Amino acid sequence: MASMIRKSFDQPEETRPVKDGMGQVELVNLDAGAVGRATFLPGWKWSQHVKPIAQTDSCMASHVGYTVSGRLKVVMDDGEEIEFGPGDFGVIPPGHDAWVVGDEPYVFIDWQGMDDYAKPKQ
């Protein structure tokens, strides 16, 4: 019989800060992979605050998650645009830039794209 699992983002197993103190990703690990709570502060932009860590031209993570609070604008490499806000579920394929819109931190729970997100290259 499978066992229940309880983990808390308030006591993450790993925390990865982004450049300039503009946010962080807190991770809990499951057999299926990491689940992350991303918190990005007003003024955060992937191309400024994570690109130097990822060392890719755009975000190559595939995200599947839920917006808890704040607003995020995502622009795909092909020009497609969308904005996420509180209560939105989203699927974001690889190949995008994103930034916080407004003056509230953006908080996102991500079930798919966090294994290597904002993880320094070895």
Side-chain angles (χ1 to χ4, degrees):
M1 176 184 282
S3 297
M4 292 193 293
I5 298 171
R6 180 178 181 264
K7 298 193 177 207
S8 174
F9 287 118
D10 294 331
Q11 296 178 328
E13 294 165 320
E14 183 179 355
T15 300
R16 296 181 191 152
V18 298
K19 189 173 180 237
D20 299 329
M22 293 298 290
Q24 64 186 12
V25 175
E26 298 152 314
L27 300 165
V28 295
N29 296 303
L30 304 174
D31 289 342
V35 178
R37 176 173 67 183
T39 303
F40 301 130
L41 302 179
W44 175 88
K45 187 172 186 178
W46 184 91
S47 55
Q48 294 174 356
H49 301 105
V50 182
K51 180 178 180 174
I53 299 166
Q55 300 177 14
T56 57
D57 290 336
S58 59
C59 182
M60 298 311 293
S62 178
H63 305 285
V64 175
Y66 175 79
T67 298
V68 176
S69 60
R71 300 200 70 76
L72 187 77
K73 175 82 172 226
V74 179
V75 178
M76 299 300 299
D77 291 348
D78 68 4
E80 181 183 3
E81 300 180 13
I82 196 166
E83 190 171 307
F84 294 95
D88 288 343
F89 173 82
V91 175
I92 305 169
H96 58 272
D97 194 4
W99 55 89
V100 173
V101 175
D103 58 2
E104 182 181 356
Y106 180 73
V107 179
F108 184 71
I109 306 298
D110 191 335
W111 284 271
Q112 183 172 318
M114 291 302 185
D115 283 328
D116 293 321
Y117 192 86
K119 186 174 187 175
K121 300 286 183 195
Q122 304 278 337

